[in-house]
Amino acid sequence: MKKMTYAEAIRDGIRQEMKRDSAVYLCGEDVGKFGGCFGVTAGLVDEFPGRVLDTPITETAIIGSAVGAAAVGLRPVAEIMFVDFTGVCMDELFNQAVKMRYMFGGKAKVPLVLKTICGGGVAAAAQHSQCMEAWFTHIPGLKTVMPATPADAKGLMAAAIRDDNPVIYIEHKQLLGLGGDVPEGEYLVPLGKADIKRPGTDVTIVAWSWMVHRALAAAEALAKDGISAEVIDPRTLVPLDKDAILASLAKTHKLVIVHEAVRTSGFGGEIAAVAAEEGFDLLDAPIKRVTAPDTPVPFSPVLEKAFLPDEGKIIQAVKELF
Amino acid sequence: MKHDAEFLRHLYRRMISIRLFEEKIGELFLGGELPGFVHLYVGEEAIAVGVCASLTDQDYITSTHRGHGHCIAKGAKIGPMMAEIFGKQTGYCKGKGGSMHIADFSVGMLGANGVVGGGYNLAVGAALAAKMRKSGQVAVCFFGDGASNRGTFHEGINMAAAWKLPVVFVNENNQWASTTPYRTTNNIEDIADRAKGYGIPGVVVDGNDIFAVLETAKAAIDRARAGEGPTLIEAKTYRIKGHFVGDPEMYRTKAEVQKHFDENDPLKNFAHKVIGAKLLKQADLDAIASETAREIEQAVGEARQAPYPDEAELFADLYVEGVK
């Protein structure tokens, strides 16, 4: 184990795979000499000459060219600087990358990782703060990865690069400086395997990305009030580890889902539907969702604080079930 | 004319295959035998065949919704193409793609594309891969005049030019963006003029003259292969058929279409030249045409007999299973 930040762990995952497989390359705006908008890819351009490409500001060509390169055998890690900008290259992602294999009858493989970053809390306002994961989960053929810890960040990045399918890997701005123990050497976290971030017996809280940490803080406070909360981090939304969620419900019989994305058509609705369809008999109380409201992300820190789900809102939702 | 007879036969075989294939598809569609919708390449044969003649199976092409011609020109087989358009299990895509999504990676045909302007960046990526691997391969992106107004045109060509990628952008200016005439949606006569803005060569060529296309494309492909970067070729042609089979074509007169066909049919142009130069005889061309017609009839017969996909195929080939 080695102490590493989330950002360093992502870089370590990329480095591990670039060393292992010469077909892996990294491209995106400012990912080379500048080291990425948040410094995540710093130094890789020197370690892997010719395989870290500073692109023009051209999201459509970044993802479109990565799809073409992947279809003929390379393994691109293509960065879109903010998840908010994926709208610019959405056709390349959902109509090209993700459709090729199926509509060509299995002829193509598109081992593409779209690496990007989401989330609020930095007063970046409505076009640099969103959580758009639900969009991506609505596209059959695409996998959606959202790591919450440094170890997961490394292991999921490596697994995403080795996966032969298109994967969107969504980092979170609030987590980049978060430290933690990360396994040294080759490390993979399988896609589709949830992690129990805190065991508990009275209520299941499902949260991902930054919200895992707010759920853990809420669980800590709830424990002082005698409520034992289990925090489940699915880590990947597609594939979703339904079994882990249902197994937790079999123990706790209560479900609270927390996400930073806005409420309507958020992925929390999908998890609630899974619980209702496949775990109805396990539930002793209504399902609760703690989410951002259905508004754009506001700029003023006072408004943004009101927008974001936090420990207090999670505690309140849990307590309404008791 | 410097081409030998065998090469000329090859060119004609590919062009007449496209022509007869498309005419047969039109007939089958109007007869109610084909599901979905189809877009025909009639009248544009010289472009696909003229360009692909300078490519190998290792080189790549990306295509369009009007893609049958590109498939045949790149060497895809008529049997599995026909079966695919019928929606059968024996088709190129096991009946999952249909007319607008035929692909044959074994000959470098990276797929027709249902999104107008969807192919540029795929070709750019294939060319990037070729450059990174120093493989000497070239990618060609075919696109229409309508597609030239997509933002993908700019992003793809700019990246390819900035990085000197081995890709050739071949515009098929058939004068019609779906049902809208080219000159009402562009303020320039020649799309090739846009090449200046990217610092690459832009060339206009008569897309109905396969020998002109051959020469222009070969120069661009050689240039790309030599590491000198992309070229934008504009091949002027005319869409003889409607946007899709069944298009009522209220936007133009039959006389206009007939005039273009009479004056510019690329197959007639070809025959006139090779017979005039005494390189091939009309009988040679007729023999190739009869053989091709038989091959297409056989493909239709086999496609009719072939099974539809099993319902379980719905879930097949969505993901590659397992981690490398």
Side-chain angles (χ1 to χ4, degrees), chain A residues 26-56:
Chain A
L26 173 69
C27 68
E29 295 157 12
D30 308 315
V31 297
K33 288 194 179 127
F34 187 64
C37 186
F38 297 99
V40 172
T41 55
L44 292 175
V45 71
D46 300 319
E47 282 181 69
F48 303 100
R51 291 168 63 196
V52 178
L53 311 177
D54 278 319
T55 65

Side-chain angles (χ1 to χ4, degrees), chain B residues 162-191:
Chain B
W163 291 353
K164 282 200 169 6
L165 300 181
V167 55
V168 178
F169 299 97
V170 178
N171 173 244
E172 301 170 319
N173 190 341
N174 68 16
Q175 312 301 321
W176 295 99
S178 188
T179 66
T180 305
Y182 169 71
R183 283 303 271 122
T184 66
T185 56
N186 293 60
N187 193 34
I188 48 170
E189 189 61 39
D190 297 328
I191 291 167

Side-chain angles (χ1 to χ4, degrees), chain A residues 190-271:
Chain A
L191 308 187
K193 196 105 187 68
D195 185 41
I196 300 174
K197 288 289 195 279
R198 177 190 174 108
T201 53
D202 298 333
V203 59
T204 299
I205 305 177
V206 177
W208 52 91
S209 193
W210 185 28
M211 289 298 119
V212 168
H213 301 279
R214 293 203 152 176
L216 286 170
E220 189 66 30
L222 286 162
K224 293 191 181 107
D225 292 335
I227 297 173
S228 165
E230 176 150 291
V231 178
I232 304 264
D233 173 8
R235 302 194 285 196
T236 66
L237 302 184
V238 176
L240 178 66
D241 190 348
K242 294 180 188 178
D243 292 345
I245 295 167
L246 293 168
S248 181
L249 281 185
K251 201 162 53 165
T252 66
H253 309 291
K254 293 185 178 65
L255 176 60
V256 174
I257 304 153
V258 184
H259 62 65
E260 187 183 337
V262 301
R263 191 174 190 82
T264 300
S265 299
F267 197 71
E270 183 62 30
I271 292 176

Side-chain angles (χ1 to χ4, degrees), chain A residues 21 58 72 96 102 107 165, chain B residues 92 133 155 314 320 324:
Chain A
D21 185 349
T58 192
V72 301
Q96 309 296 343
Y102 188 83
K107 223 172 256 107
N165 300 286
Chain B
Y92 260 120
R133 290 167 159 161
E155 294 204 19
L314 177 61
V320 186
K324 197 179 145 217

Side-chain angles (χ1 to χ4, degrees), chain A residues 7-319:
Chain A
E8 288 165 345
I10 295 166
R11 189 188 313 142
D12 205 40
I14 297 171
R15 180 189 290 120
Q16 171 186 308
E17 295 308 304
M18 289 187 80
K19 276 187 182 162
R20 179 179 175 270
D21 185 349
S22 64
V24 180
Y25 74 95
L26 173 69
C27 68
E29 295 157 12
D30 308 315
V31 297
K33 288 194 179 127
F34 187 64
C37 186
F38 297 99
V40 172
T41 55
L44 292 175
V45 71
D46 300 319
E47 282 181 69
F48 303 100
R51 291 168 63 196
V52 178
L53 311 177
D54 278 319
T55 65
I57 297 176
T58 192
E59 285 80 6
T60 300
I62 292 169
I63 300 306
S65 66
V67 176
V72 301
L74 294 188
R75 305 184 82 83
V77 178
E79 178 169 298
I80 297 298
M81 196 183 276
F82 291 83
V83 77
D84 314 71
F85 305 164
T86 53
V88 181
C89 59
M90 203 60 169
D91 184 66
E92 279 54 40
L93 182 64
F94 94 104
N95 268 329
Q96 309 296 343
V98 175
K99 297 298 192 295
M100 267 194 173
R101 179 169 185 76
Y102 188 83
M103 76 186 177
F104 295 162
K107 223 172 256 107
K109 262 195 329 198
V110 185
L112 158 75
V113 177
L114 191 164
K115 171 188 178 304
T116 188
I117 198 161
C118 75
V122 293
Q127 296 171 341
H128 289 76
S129 303
Q130 299 169 87
C131 288
M132 303 308 303
E133 62 269 21
W135 272 9
F136 307 111
T137 63
H138 201 60
I139 306 168
L142 179 62
K143 298 185 179 182
T144 301
V145 177
M146 298 189 76
T149 66
D152 287 349
K154 174 177 175 177
L156 290 168
M157 175 54 84
I161 293 171
R162 278 192 213 185
D163 200 289
D164 277 337
N165 300 286
V167 176
I168 181 163
Y169 178 99
I170 310 175
E171 303 154 16
H172 198 295
K173 296 178 201 82
Q174 293 287 344
L175 300 176
L176 292 169
L178 176 77
D181 287 331
V182 177
E184 288 181 88
E186 182 164 300
Y187 181 58
L188 294 158
V189 172
L191 308 187
K193 196 105 187 68
D195 185 41
I196 300 174
K197 288 289 195 279
R198 177 190 174 108
T201 53
D202 298 333
V203 59
T204 299
I205 305 177
V206 177
W208 52 91
S209 193
W210 185 28
M211 289 298 119
V212 168
H213 301 279
R214 293 203 152 176
L216 286 170
E220 189 66 30
L222 286 162
K224 293 191 181 107
D225 292 335
I227 297 173
S228 165
E230 176 150 291
V231 178
I232 304 264
D233 173 8
R235 302 194 285 196
T236 66
L237 302 184
V238 176
L240 178 66
D241 190 348
K242 294 180 188 178
D243 292 345
I245 295 167
L246 293 168
S248 181
L249 281 185
K251 201 162 53 165
T252 66
H253 309 291
K254 293 185 178 65
L255 176 60
V256 174
I257 304 153
V258 184
H259 62 65
E260 187 183 337
V262 301
R263 191 174 190 82
T264 300
S265 299
F267 197 71
E270 183 62 30
I271 292 176
V274 167
E277 284 179 340
E278 300 178 38
F280 188 74
D281 293 337
L282 302 173
L283 290 167
D284 283 348
I287 298 164
K288 288 273 181 189
R289 285 184 291 166
V290 181
T291 71
D294 288 332
T295 70
V297 185
F299 166 63
S300 170
V302 172
L303 289 176
E304 191 178 20
K305 186 173 185 312
F307 171 89
L308 290 168
D310 62 17
E311 188 183 325
K313 292 170 191 169
I314 299 167
I315 291 169
Q316 190 191 334
V318 169
K319 287 196 167 167

Side-chain angles (χ1 to χ4, degrees), chain B residues 213-286:
Chain B
V213 174
L214 264 173
E215 192 178 336
T216 303
K218 185 170 187 316
I221 290 164
D222 288 349
R223 184 174 184 276
R225 225 185 278 288
E228 291 166 39
T231 300
L232 172 59
I233 296 173
E234 177 180 6
K236 303 271 193 192
T237 185
Y238 188 85
R239 197 186 70 212
I240 297 300
K241 299 289 183 182
H243 172 51
F244 52 91
V245 179
D247 179 356
E249 299 181 61
M250 306 294 279
Y251 46 85
R252 60 184 186 180
T253 63
K254 285 199 168 98
E256 175 188 326
V257 178
Q258 194 59 49
K259 182 171 185 295
H260 276 281
F261 190 61
D262 291 344
E263 291 173 5
N264 300 310
D265 176 5
L267 274 80
K268 270 187 242 155
N269 281 348
F270 176 90
H272 180 74
K273 286 194 178 167
V274 296
I275 293 168
K278 298 194 188 316
L279 291 165
L280 292 177
K281 298 191 180 71
Q282 184 63 47
D284 295 324
L285 303 184
D286 292 347

